[in-house]
Amino acid sequence: SQQGEEDPQALSIQEGENATMNCSYKTSINNLQWYRQNSGRGLVHLILIRSNEREKHSGRLRVTLDTSKKSSSLLITASRAADTASYFCATDYGYSTLTFGKGTMLLVSP
Amino acid sequence: AAGVIQSPRHLIKEKRETATLKCYPIPRHDTVYWYQQGPGQDPQFLISFYEKMQSDKGSIPDRFSAQQFSDYHSELNMSSLELGDSALYFCASSFHPGQGEITGGPAGELFFGEGSRLTVL
């Protein structure tokens, strides 16, 4: 598998706090993406970062990519109860299709 | 805006039966992907189609087959169902501007449907 583990597997925080999730992968990549999934629902794309980028922002989301460590992090600032979901990173390399990591389950309590 | 449509949303089958899932991609999207997600698991790539031809293949069992039709909708056929096939099956679509070959590589984000939940009893 191209993907390693995401950590933490589960994260529980209070509203207003920041949430940081990490993702590791094994091979070279073209792009790394983060997706969100509410329980039993489809995955929703959050943000894409290319292998030549180191940081990207979108609203309350901040993604970093360290290709030397083959890792990425997703930071959600000022979290809300509505951010409760599972978050997956996914990578592609060469001409491969997107491969997903194990995911982090985030619980934001009011 | 139109999204990826999957049907049926829920399906209950007995062991050894067959099942067919359908996927209607976003209009003008040229690539369709099928993923399987077991309980508490990450989505596992099964198979993809670019312009109606198979473009990439993942961990799809030999009991499963899929195709993309002239109207770009796709169907996943599953035969000899096993208990372990119980899962959420997602279809996703994407668009690859300027892609002249069938490479299967994603050019950007995938748009997912809401999934079809298959339960095998």
Side-chain angles (χ1 to χ4, degrees):
Chain A
S1 168
Q2 179 192 352
Q3 279 294 342
E5 294 292 322
E6 289 185 43
D7 78 275
Q9 290 187 329
L11 181 61
S12 183
I13 59 175
Q14 299 289 124
E15 266 191 327
E17 294 181 336
N18 295 341
T20 300
M21 289 159 270
N22 302 296
C23 161
S24 63
Y25 55 91
K26 296 178 180 176
T27 67
S28 297
I29 62 170
N30 289 342
N31 308 293
L32 185 143
Q33 303 182 40
W34 284 90
Y35 285 79
R36 167 199 167 117
Q37 184 181 34
N38 286 51
S39 180
R41 304 292 299 275
L43 291 95
V44 176
H45 178 264
L46 294 176
I47 195 166
L48 179 152
I49 187 166
R50 302 196 185 281
S51 59
N52 61 356
E53 297 176 313
R54 291 297 166 258
E55 187 171 313
K56 205 161 183 180
H57 297 254
S58 176
R60 293 184 296 114
L61 305 180
R62 174 180 165 242
V63 170
T64 62
L65 179 64
D66 187 336
T67 52
S68 66
K69 295 181 180 177
K70 291 187 170 56
S71 67
S72 174
S73 68
L74 170 68
L75 168 67
I76 303 175
T77 60
S79 63
R80 307 165 181 166
D83 294 329
T84 294
S86 291
Y87 292 82
F88 294 89
C89 72
T91 58
D92 69 87
Y93 64 102
Y95 292 107
S96 74
T97 307
L98 216 54
T99 301
F100 286 85
K102 297 295 182 190
T104 293
M105 191 177 303
L106 174 65
L107 172 64
V108 183
S109 302
Chain B
V4 176
I5 305 298
Q6 292 189 245
S7 67
R9 291 295 310 279
H10 302 272
L11 191 59
I12 299 175
K13 290 287 185 179
E14 299 278 341
K15 279 172 52 178
R16 292 179 288 277
E17 286 190 322
T18 61
T20 297
L21 307 181
K22 295 185 179 182
C23 169
Y24 296 85
I26 292 172
R28 292 185 296 281
H29 278 196
D30 52 22
T31 306
V32 166
Y33 310 82
W34 286 98
Y35 283 83
Q36 176 193 58
Q37 186 178 32
Q41 302 296 312
D42 55 295
Q44 293 290 317
F45 170 66
L46 295 178
I47 195 167
S48 64
F49 294 88
Y50 168 71
E51 287 291 344
K52 293 159 280 185
M53 294 187 66
Q54 182 181 310
S55 55
D56 200 1
K57 194 171 182 179
S59 51
I60 184 169
D62 292 340
R63 299 176 290 108
F64 293 9
S65 65
Q67 56 182 323
Q68 187 178 28
F69 295 86
S70 57
D71 64 351
Y72 290 89
H73 95 271
S74 179
E75 294 184 2
L76 178 66
N77 300 292
M78 299 173 284
S79 63
S80 303
L81 287 170
E82 302 173 356
L83 296 178
D85 296 328
S86 296
L88 265 172
Y89 289 83
F90 289 105
C91 173
S93 71
S94 66
F95 175 63
H96 297 72
Q99 184 168 352
E101 297 180 356
I102 303 171
T103 62
E109 65 179 286
L110 268 59
F111 294 82
F112 282 81
E114 287 296 321
S116 294
R117 182 176 294 279
L118 172 66
T119 301
V120 181
L121 303 176

